[in-house]
Amino acid sequence: MVNQPENRKWQLLSSEYLHREPWLTVAHNAYRLPDGRVAPDYYILEYPDWVNVIARTAEGLFLLISQYRPGLDATCFELVAGVCDRDDTAPLASAQRELLEETGFGGGSWRELMSISANASTTNNLTHCFVAEGVHRIADHQDLDATEDIQVHLLTVDEVRELLCSNAIKQATHLAPLWRYFAENSLL
Amino acid sequence: MVNQPENRKWQLLSSEYLHREPWLTVAHNAYRLPDGRVAPDYYILEYPDWVNVIARTAEGLFLLISQYRPGLDATCFELVAGVCDRDDTAPLASAQRELLEETGFGGGSWRELMSISANASTTNNLTHCFVAEGVHRIADHQDLDATEDIQVHLLTVDEVRELLCSNAIKQATHLAPLWRYFAENSLL
Protein backbone atom coordinates (compact mmCIF):
# COMPACT_ATOMS: atom_id res chain seq x y z
CA MET A 1 0.00 0.00 0.00
CA VAL A 2 1.25 3.46 -0.93
CA ASN A 3 1.00 5.90 1.97
CA GLN A 4 -1.18 8.97 1.51
CA PRO A 5 0.97 11.98 0.65
CA GLU A 6 1.59 14.37 3.54
CA ASN A 7 -1.27 16.88 3.78
CA ARG A 8 0.20 20.24 2.73
CA LYS A 9 -3.09 22.20 2.76
CA TRP A 10 -2.86 25.94 2.15
CA GLN A 11 -4.75 28.38 4.37
CA LEU A 12 -7.36 30.45 2.54
CA LEU A 13 -6.74 34.11 3.49
CA SER A 14 -9.34 35.83 1.32
CA SER A 15 -11.74 35.07 -1.51
CA GLU A 16 -13.85 37.26 -3.75
CA TYR A 17 -15.72 36.61 -6.96
CA LEU A 18 -14.35 38.28 -10.06
CA HIS A 19 -17.14 36.90 -12.27
CA ARG A 20 -20.31 34.96 -11.58
CA GLU A 21 -21.95 34.19 -14.89
CA PRO A 22 -23.45 30.91 -16.18
CA TRP A 23 -20.35 29.93 -18.17
CA LEU A 24 -17.65 31.76 -16.23
CA THR A 25 -17.37 31.86 -12.46
CA VAL A 26 -13.92 32.91 -11.22
CA ALA A 27 -12.85 33.41 -7.61
CA HIS A 28 -9.78 35.52 -6.81
CA ASN A 29 -8.21 33.90 -3.73
CA ALA A 30 -5.17 34.49 -1.53
CA TYR A 31 -3.52 31.62 0.36
CA ARG A 32 -0.80 31.11 2.95
CA LEU A 33 1.46 28.12 2.30
CA PRO A 34 2.54 25.79 5.16
CA ASP A 35 5.96 27.51 5.38
CA GLY A 36 4.41 30.99 5.62
CA ARG A 37 4.80 32.17 2.02
CA VAL A 38 1.73 33.91 0.57
CA ALA A 39 0.16 33.37 -2.86
CA PRO A 40 -1.82 36.62 -3.27
CA ASP A 41 -3.38 36.09 -6.72
CA TYR A 42 -4.76 32.59 -7.19
CA TYR A 43 -7.72 32.18 -9.51
CA ILE A 44 -10.18 29.29 -9.08
CA LEU A 45 -12.66 28.46 -11.85
CA GLU A 46 -15.91 27.13 -10.41
CA TYR A 47 -18.00 24.70 -12.44
CA PRO A 48 -20.69 22.09 -11.80
CA ASP A 49 -19.39 18.53 -12.13
CA TRP A 50 -19.01 17.13 -15.63
CA VAL A 51 -19.70 13.65 -17.04
CA ASN A 52 -18.64 11.58 -20.02
CA VAL A 53 -19.35 8.05 -21.20
CA ILE A 54 -17.64 5.28 -23.15
CA ALA A 55 -20.82 3.89 -24.77
CA ARG A 56 -20.79 0.63 -26.77
CA THR A 57 -23.58 -1.14 -28.62
CA ALA A 58 -24.34 -4.84 -28.18
CA GLU A 59 -22.20 -5.40 -31.31
CA GLY A 60 -19.25 -3.68 -29.55
CA LEU A 61 -19.30 -0.49 -31.62
CA PHE A 62 -18.17 2.68 -29.81
CA LEU A 63 -20.48 5.71 -29.90
CA LEU A 64 -18.28 8.76 -30.42
CA ILE A 65 -19.18 12.29 -31.44
CA SER A 66 -17.40 15.11 -33.23
CA GLN A 67 -17.92 18.82 -32.76
CA TYR A 68 -16.11 22.11 -33.25
CA ARG A 69 -14.20 23.22 -30.16
CA PRO A 70 -13.43 26.96 -30.00
CA GLY A 71 -10.62 26.56 -27.44
CA LEU A 72 -8.53 24.43 -29.80
CA ASP A 73 -10.15 25.91 -32.94
CA ALA A 74 -10.63 22.39 -34.34
CA THR A 75 -13.38 19.85 -34.98
CA CYS A 76 -12.51 16.93 -32.68
CA PHE A 77 -13.56 13.34 -32.02
CA GLU A 78 -14.77 13.02 -28.44
CA LEU A 79 -16.83 10.95 -26.04
CA VAL A 80 -20.39 11.96 -25.34
CA ALA A 81 -20.03 14.42 -22.46
CA GLY A 82 -21.80 17.21 -20.63
CA VAL A 83 -22.61 19.05 -17.45
CA CYS A 84 -24.45 17.86 -14.33
CA ASP A 85 -27.66 19.90 -14.36
CA ARG A 86 -29.34 20.98 -11.16
CA ASP A 87 -32.30 18.71 -11.96
CA ASP A 88 -30.18 15.58 -12.40
CA THR A 89 -30.44 13.22 -9.43
CA ALA A 90 -26.84 11.98 -9.75
CA PRO A 91 -23.91 12.06 -12.21
CA LEU A 92 -25.15 8.73 -13.65
CA ALA A 93 -28.46 10.39 -14.55
CA SER A 94 -26.56 13.29 -16.16
CA ALA A 95 -24.51 10.91 -18.29
CA GLN A 96 -27.59 8.95 -19.38
CA ARG A 97 -29.40 12.22 -20.25
CA GLU A 98 -26.42 13.49 -22.26
CA LEU A 99 -26.13 10.21 -24.20
CA LEU A 100 -29.82 10.37 -25.10
CA GLU A 101 -29.75 14.08 -26.03
CA GLU A 102 -26.58 13.93 -28.12
CA THR A 103 -27.09 10.57 -29.87
CA GLY A 104 -30.60 9.19 -29.26
CA PHE A 105 -29.06 6.09 -27.63
CA GLY A 106 -29.84 4.65 -24.19
CA GLY A 107 -30.34 1.46 -22.22
CA GLY A 108 -27.49 -0.94 -21.58
CA SER A 109 -25.46 -1.67 -18.46
CA TRP A 110 -23.72 1.29 -16.78
CA ARG A 111 -20.83 1.65 -14.29
CA GLU A 112 -18.62 4.54 -13.14
CA LEU A 113 -15.02 3.97 -14.22
CA MET A 114 -13.29 6.91 -12.48
CA SER A 115 -13.72 10.51 -11.39
CA ILE A 116 -11.02 12.95 -12.45
CA SER A 117 -10.12 16.63 -12.62
CA ALA A 118 -9.51 18.65 -15.78
CA ASN A 119 -7.12 20.85 -13.75
CA ALA A 120 -6.72 20.19 -10.02
CA SER A 121 -4.93 23.48 -9.43
CA THR A 122 -7.54 25.85 -10.85
CA THR A 123 -10.89 24.06 -11.36
CA ASN A 124 -13.03 22.98 -8.42
CA ASN A 125 -15.11 20.26 -10.10
CA LEU A 126 -14.78 16.59 -10.99
CA THR A 127 -15.54 14.76 -14.23
CA HIS A 128 -17.34 11.47 -13.67
CA CYS A 129 -16.45 8.94 -16.36
CA PHE A 130 -18.87 6.12 -17.13
CA VAL A 131 -18.87 2.95 -19.22
CA ALA A 132 -22.19 1.87 -20.82
CA GLU A 133 -22.24 -1.49 -22.61
CA GLY A 134 -25.12 -2.66 -24.78
CA VAL A 135 -26.67 0.73 -25.56
CA HIS A 136 -29.18 0.94 -28.42
CA ARG A 137 -31.17 3.60 -30.25
CA ILE A 138 -34.22 4.68 -28.24
CA ALA A 139 -34.97 8.10 -29.86
CA ASP A 140 -34.91 8.94 -33.55
CA HIS A 141 -33.45 12.44 -33.22
CA GLN A 142 -31.00 14.49 -31.18
CA ASP A 143 -32.18 17.00 -28.57
CA LEU A 144 -29.36 19.52 -28.53
CA ASP A 145 -28.63 22.61 -26.44
CA ALA A 146 -28.73 26.08 -28.01
CA THR A 147 -25.06 26.06 -29.04
CA GLU A 148 -24.47 22.36 -29.76
CA ASP A 149 -23.71 21.07 -33.26
CA ILE A 150 -22.81 17.40 -32.89
CA GLN A 151 -22.11 14.61 -35.38
CA VAL A 152 -22.52 11.00 -34.19
CA HIS A 153 -20.12 8.18 -35.16
CA LEU A 154 -20.34 4.43 -34.60
CA LEU A 155 -16.76 3.12 -34.68
CA THR A 156 -15.16 -0.30 -34.34
CA VAL A 157 -12.59 -1.03 -31.66
CA ASP A 158 -9.91 -0.98 -34.40
CA GLU A 159 -11.01 2.51 -35.44
CA VAL A 160 -11.01 3.86 -31.89
CA ARG A 161 -7.56 2.33 -31.31
CA GLU A 162 -6.38 4.11 -34.45
CA LEU A 163 -7.77 7.44 -33.16
CA LEU A 164 -6.06 6.92 -29.80
CA CYS A 165 -2.69 5.88 -31.20
CA SER A 166 -2.64 8.67 -33.81
CA ASN A 167 -3.40 11.36 -31.19
CA ALA A 168 -6.61 12.29 -33.02
CA ILE A 169 -8.50 12.60 -29.72
CA LYS A 170 -7.26 15.61 -27.72
CA GLN A 171 -9.54 16.00 -24.68
CA ALA A 172 -7.63 14.78 -21.58
CA THR A 173 -10.80 14.03 -19.61
CA HIS A 174 -11.83 11.66 -22.44
CA LEU A 175 -8.39 10.16 -23.07
CA ALA A 176 -7.89 9.12 -19.44
CA PRO A 177 -10.97 6.82 -19.33
CA LEU A 178 -10.46 5.60 -22.93
CA TRP A 179 -6.83 4.58 -22.33
CA ARG A 180 -7.83 3.02 -18.99
CA TYR A 181 -10.63 1.08 -20.70
CA PHE A 182 -8.26 -0.11 -23.44
CA ALA A 183 -5.65 -1.11 -20.83
CA GLU A 184 -8.07 -2.95 -18.55
CA ASN A 185 -9.76 -4.79 -21.43
CA SER A 186 -6.51 -5.61 -23.28
CA LEU A 187 -7.77 -3.87 -26.43
CA LEU A 188 -4.37 -2.56 -27.50
CA MET B 1 -8.39 4.56 -41.73
CA VAL B 2 -11.01 6.63 -39.94
CA ASN B 3 -12.08 9.66 -41.96
CA GLN B 4 -11.47 13.09 -40.47
CA PRO B 5 -14.68 14.44 -38.92
CA GLU B 6 -16.51 17.01 -41.04
CA ASN B 7 -15.10 20.49 -40.32
CA ARG B 8 -17.84 22.37 -38.45
CA LYS B 9 -15.80 25.51 -37.69
CA TRP B 10 -17.64 28.38 -36.01
CA GLN B 11 -17.20 31.94 -37.30
CA LEU B 12 -15.69 34.34 -34.75
CA LEU B 13 -17.95 37.43 -34.64
CA SER B 14 -16.26 39.42 -31.87
CA SER B 15 -13.58 39.03 -29.23
CA GLU B 16 -12.52 41.16 -26.30
CA TYR B 17 -10.33 40.51 -23.29
CA LEU B 18 -12.07 40.41 -19.93
CA HIS B 19 -8.81 39.86 -18.04
CA ARG B 20 -5.18 39.84 -19.03
CA GLU B 21 -3.13 38.95 -15.98
CA PRO B 22 -0.24 36.47 -15.62
CA TRP B 23 -2.41 33.67 -14.21
CA LEU B 24 -5.78 34.57 -15.73
CA THR B 25 -6.35 35.63 -19.31
CA VAL B 26 -9.97 35.34 -20.43
CA ALA B 27 -11.40 36.34 -23.81
CA HIS B 28 -15.14 36.97 -24.19
CA ASN B 29 -16.03 35.80 -27.70
CA ALA B 30 -19.15 35.56 -29.85
CA TYR B 31 -19.47 32.97 -32.60
CA ARG B 32 -21.85 32.05 -35.43
CA LEU B 33 -22.48 28.33 -35.84
CA PRO B 34 -22.61 26.70 -39.32
CA ASP B 35 -26.44 26.69 -39.26
CA GLY B 36 -26.63 30.40 -38.36
CA ARG B 37 -27.26 30.17 -34.62
CA VAL B 38 -25.19 32.60 -32.51
CA ALA B 39 -23.31 31.84 -29.29
CA PRO B 40 -22.99 35.35 -27.80
CA ASP B 41 -21.09 34.60 -24.57
CA TYR B 42 -18.28 32.13 -25.04
CA TYR B 43 -15.28 32.44 -22.72
CA ILE B 44 -11.84 31.22 -23.80
CA LEU B 45 -9.06 30.82 -21.23
CA GLU B 46 -5.66 31.58 -22.75
CA TYR B 47 -2.56 29.87 -21.37
CA PRO B 48 0.94 29.07 -22.57
CA ASP B 49 1.41 25.38 -23.38
CA TRP B 50 1.95 23.01 -20.48
CA VAL B 51 4.23 19.97 -20.10
CA ASN B 52 4.43 16.87 -17.93
CA VAL B 53 6.73 13.87 -17.80
CA ILE B 54 6.59 10.18 -16.86
CA ALA B 55 10.16 9.97 -15.49
CA ARG B 56 11.74 6.61 -14.55
CA THR B 57 15.15 5.83 -13.10
CA ALA B 58 17.46 3.18 -14.54
CA GLU B 59 16.01 0.83 -11.88
CA GLY B 60 12.51 1.47 -13.26
CA LEU B 61 11.26 3.59 -10.35
CA PHE B 62 8.71 6.29 -11.23
CA LEU B 63 9.41 9.85 -10.11
CA LEU B 64 6.11 11.29 -8.86
CA ILE B 65 5.41 14.37 -6.79
CA SER B 66 2.69 15.44 -4.39
CA GLN B 67 1.44 18.94 -3.73
CA TYR B 68 -1.61 20.76 -2.43
CA ARG B 69 -4.03 21.75 -5.17
CA PRO B 70 -6.40 24.60 -4.31
CA GLY B 71 -8.91 23.74 -7.05
CA LEU B 72 -9.65 20.32 -5.57
CA ASP B 73 -8.65 21.38 -2.02
CA ALA B 74 -6.54 18.22 -1.70
CA THR B 75 -2.90 17.12 -1.63
CA CYS B 76 -2.53 14.94 -4.73
CA PHE B 77 -0.03 12.57 -6.34
CA GLU B 78 0.94 13.90 -9.76
CA LEU B 79 3.52 13.77 -12.50
CA VAL B 80 6.21 16.43 -12.63
CA ALA B 81 4.57 19.19 -14.68
CA GLY B 82 4.76 22.86 -15.50
CA VAL B 83 4.42 25.72 -17.93
CA CYS B 84 6.38 26.44 -21.11
CA ASP B 85 8.33 29.60 -20.28
CA ARG B 86 9.12 32.23 -22.89
CA ASP B 87 12.82 31.39 -22.56
CA ASP B 88 12.36 27.66 -23.22
CA THR B 89 13.46 26.66 -26.72
CA ALA B 90 10.82 23.91 -27.03
CA PRO B 91 8.36 21.92 -24.88
CA LEU B 92 11.05 19.25 -24.38
CA ALA B 93 13.32 21.87 -22.80
CA SER B 94 10.45 23.00 -20.56
CA ALA B 95 9.84 19.45 -19.37
CA GLN B 96 13.53 18.86 -18.68
CA ARG B 97 13.74 22.17 -16.78
CA GLU B 98 10.67 21.32 -14.68
CA LEU B 99 12.03 17.85 -13.81
CA LEU B 100 15.31 19.38 -12.64
CA GLU B 101 13.65 22.22 -10.68
CA GLU B 102 11.03 20.06 -8.95
CA THR B 103 13.12 16.93 -8.24
CA GLY B 104 16.83 17.53 -8.96
CA PHE B 105 16.73 14.70 -11.53
CA GLY B 106 17.82 14.82 -15.17
CA GLY B 107 19.56 12.95 -17.95
CA GLY B 108 18.04 9.82 -19.47
CA SER B 109 16.33 9.22 -22.81
CA TRP B 110 13.34 11.42 -23.68
CA ARG B 111 10.44 11.16 -26.14
CA GLU B 112 7.09 12.93 -26.57
CA LEU B 113 4.21 10.51 -25.94
CA MET B 114 1.23 12.72 -26.87
CA SER B 115 -0.09 16.27 -26.83
CA ILE B 116 -3.51 16.81 -25.32
CA SER B 117 -5.96 19.47 -24.13
CA ALA B 118 -7.18 19.97 -20.56
CA ASN B 119 -10.44 21.34 -22.02
CA ALA B 120 -10.77 21.70 -25.80
CA SER B 121 -13.89 23.86 -25.53
CA THR B 122 -12.51 26.61 -23.31
CA THR B 123 -8.70 26.46 -23.11
CA ASN B 124 -6.51 27.37 -26.08
CA ASN B 125 -3.32 25.53 -25.11
CA LEU B 126 -1.90 22.01 -25.36
CA THR B 127 -0.18 19.86 -22.75
CA HIS B 128 2.88 18.04 -24.12
CA CYS B 129 3.40 14.72 -22.35
CA PHE B 130 6.89 13.20 -22.28
CA VAL B 131 8.45 9.91 -21.21
CA ALA B 132 12.00 10.02 -19.77
CA GLU B 133 13.68 6.69 -19.02
CA GLY B 134 16.95 6.37 -17.09
CA VAL B 135 16.85 9.69 -15.25
CA HIS B 136 19.19 10.17 -12.28
CA ARG B 137 19.91 12.77 -9.62
CA ILE B 138 22.00 15.64 -11.00
CA ALA B 139 21.25 18.40 -8.39
CA ASP B 140 21.08 18.00 -4.63
CA HIS B 141 18.19 20.39 -4.03
CA GLN B 142 14.93 21.62 -5.55
CA ASP B 143 14.67 25.04 -7.23
CA LEU B 144 11.02 25.91 -6.73
CA ASP B 145 8.84 28.79 -7.88
CA ALA B 146 7.47 31.33 -5.37
CA THR B 147 4.31 29.34 -4.64
CA GLU B 148 5.49 25.76 -5.08
CA ASP B 149 5.64 23.29 -2.17
CA ILE B 150 6.45 19.91 -3.67
CA GLN B 151 7.27 16.50 -2.14
CA VAL B 152 9.15 13.98 -4.31
CA HIS B 153 8.36 10.24 -4.38
CA LEU B 154 10.19 7.34 -6.01
CA LEU B 155 7.59 4.61 -6.57
CA THR B 156 7.68 1.09 -8.00
CA VAL B 157 5.51 0.11 -10.96
CA ASP B 158 3.31 -1.84 -8.51
CA GLU B 159 2.80 1.30 -6.42
CA VAL B 160 1.95 3.46 -9.43
CA ARG B 161 -0.48 0.78 -10.66
CA GLU B 162 -2.12 0.85 -7.22
CA LEU B 163 -2.47 4.65 -7.39
CA LEU B 164 -3.99 4.43 -10.87
CA CYS B 165 -6.43 1.61 -10.07
CA SER B 166 -7.54 3.19 -6.78
CA ASN B 167 -8.25 6.57 -8.44
CA ALA B 168 -5.68 8.27 -6.19
CA ILE B 169 -4.38 10.35 -9.12
CA LYS B 170 -6.97 12.91 -10.24
CA GLN B 171 -5.32 15.15 -12.84
CA ALA B 172 -6.70 14.17 -16.29
CA THR B 173 -3.69 15.54 -18.17
CA HIS B 174 -1.50 13.17 -16.10
CA LEU B 175 -3.85 10.17 -16.17
CA ALA B 176 -4.09 10.13 -19.97
CA PRO B 177 -0.32 9.59 -20.53
CA LEU B 178 0.03 7.30 -17.49
CA TRP B 179 -2.78 4.97 -18.61
CA ARG B 180 -1.44 5.08 -22.19
CA TYR B 181 2.05 4.19 -20.92
CA PHE B 182 0.67 1.34 -18.81
CA ALA B 183 -1.39 0.07 -21.79
CA GLU B 184 1.43 0.28 -24.32
CA ASN B 185 3.97 -1.36 -22.01
CA SER B 186 1.57 -4.06 -20.71
CA LEU B 187 2.14 -2.94 -17.11
CA LEU B 188 -1.40 -3.65 -15.94
Side-chain angles (χ1 to χ4, degrees), chain B residues 89-101:
Chain B
T89 52
L92 171 62
S94 308
Q96 292 175 329
R97 178 182 50 69
E98 290 289 345
L99 183 70
L100 179 60
E101 289 175 359

Side-chain angles (χ1 to χ4, degrees), chain B residues 73-138:
Chain B
D73 187 22
T75 303
C76 303
F77 281 110
E78 299 182 1
L79 294 178
V80 166
V83 174
C84 291
D85 284 347
R86 199 169 300 207
D87 293 342
D88 295 332
T89 52
L92 171 62
S94 308
Q96 292 175 329
R97 178 182 50 69
E98 290 289 345
L99 183 70
L100 179 60
E101 289 175 359
E102 295 188 355
T103 72
F105 280 64
S109 166
W110 290 67
R111 65 186 170 90
E112 184 161 348
L113 183 62
M114 61 210 296
S115 64
I116 62 183
S117 167
N119 190 336
S121 56
T122 58
T123 62
N124 75 333
N125 68 331
L126 289 174
T127 298
H128 304 276
C129 308
F130 292 89
V131 173
E133 318 237 27
V135 300
H136 53 272
R137 183 174 290 285
I138 59 176

Side-chain angles (χ1 to χ4, degrees), chain B:
Chain B
M1 282 286 292
V2 186
N3 290 326
Q4 285 284 339
E6 182 192 350
N7 182 356
R8 304 288 295 175
K9 187 175 169 67
W10 296 3
Q11 181 190 357
L12 182 63
L13 298 176
S14 65
S15 180
E16 63 180 39
Y17 281 109
L18 218 55
H19 282 277
R20 290 188 86 171
E21 297 177 50
W23 297 103
L24 180 70
T25 296
V26 186
H28 178 193
N29 293 354
Y31 294 93
R32 179 175 289 122
L33 276 66
D35 63 6
R37 284 177 291 164
V38 170
D41 297 308
Y42 208 100
Y43 298 98
I44 303 287
L45 299 155
E46 297 187 359
Y47 299 104
D49 278 6
W50 296 328
V51 293
N52 62 48
V53 54
I54 297 172
R56 299 185 77 181
T57 66
E59 297 75 31
L61 294 174
F62 287 75
L63 206 47
L64 263 64
I65 61 168
S66 59
Q67 60 184 321
Y68 176 74
R69 289 305 204 172
L72 282 189
D73 187 22
T75 303
C76 303
F77 281 110
E78 299 182 1
L79 294 178
V80 166
V83 174
C84 291
D85 284 347
R86 199 169 300 207
D87 293 342
D88 295 332
T89 52
L92 171 62
S94 308
Q96 292 175 329
R97 178 182 50 69
E98 290 289 345
L99 183 70
L100 179 60
E101 289 175 359
E102 295 188 355
T103 72
F105 280 64
S109 166
W110 290 67
R111 65 186 170 90
E112 184 161 348
L113 183 62
M114 61 210 296
S115 64
I116 62 183
S117 167
N119 190 336
S121 56
T122 58
T123 62
N124 75 333
N125 68 331
L126 289 174
T127 298
H128 304 276
C129 308
F130 292 89
V131 173
E133 318 237 27
V135 300
H136 53 272
R137 183 174 290 285
I138 59 176
D140 61 3
H141 63 278
Q142 293 174 310
D143 179 17
L144 298 178
D145 293 341
T147 60
E148 282 183 328
D149 174 46
I150 287 175
Q151 318 293 310
V152 179
H153 308 267
L154 277 168
L155 300 179
T156 66
V157 65
D158 289 342
E159 290 173 323
V160 176
R161 184 189 309 111
E162 179 194 320
L163 292 177
L164 287 172
C165 292
S166 66
N167 298 305
I169 300 174
K170 289 294 180 193
Q171 189 89 329
T173 49
H174 301 187
L175 287 166
L178 276 168
W179 275 110
R180 177 172 186 161
Y181 184 85
F182 268 64
E184 291 185 337
N185 294 281
S186 303
L187 296 179
L188 203 64

Side-chain angles (χ1 to χ4, degrees), chain A residues 17-27 44-47 122:
Chain A
Y17 281 110
L18 218 55
H19 283 276
R20 290 187 85 170
E21 297 177 49
W23 297 102
L24 180 71
T25 296
V26 186
I44 303 287
L45 299 156
E46 297 187 358
Y47 299 104
T122 58

Side-chain angles (χ1 to χ4, degrees), chain A residues 104-119:
Chain A
F105 279 64
S109 165
W110 290 67
R111 65 187 170 90
E112 184 161 348
L113 183 62
M114 61 210 295
S115 65
I116 63 182
S117 166
N119 190 336

Side-chain angles (χ1 to χ4, degrees), chain A residues 71-126:
Chain A
L72 282 188
D73 187 22
T75 303
C76 304
F77 280 110
E78 300 183 2
L79 295 178
V80 166
V83 174
C84 291
D85 283 348
R86 199 169 300 207
D87 293 341
D88 295 333
T89 53
L92 172 61
S94 307
Q96 292 175 330
R97 178 182 51 70
E98 290 289 346
L99 183 70
L100 179 60
E101 289 175 359
E102 295 187 355
T103 71
F105 279 64
S109 165
W110 290 67
R111 65 187 170 90
E112 184 161 348
L113 183 62
M114 61 210 295
S115 65
I116 63 182
S117 166
N119 190 336
S121 56
T122 58
T123 62
N124 75 333
N125 67 331
L126 290 174

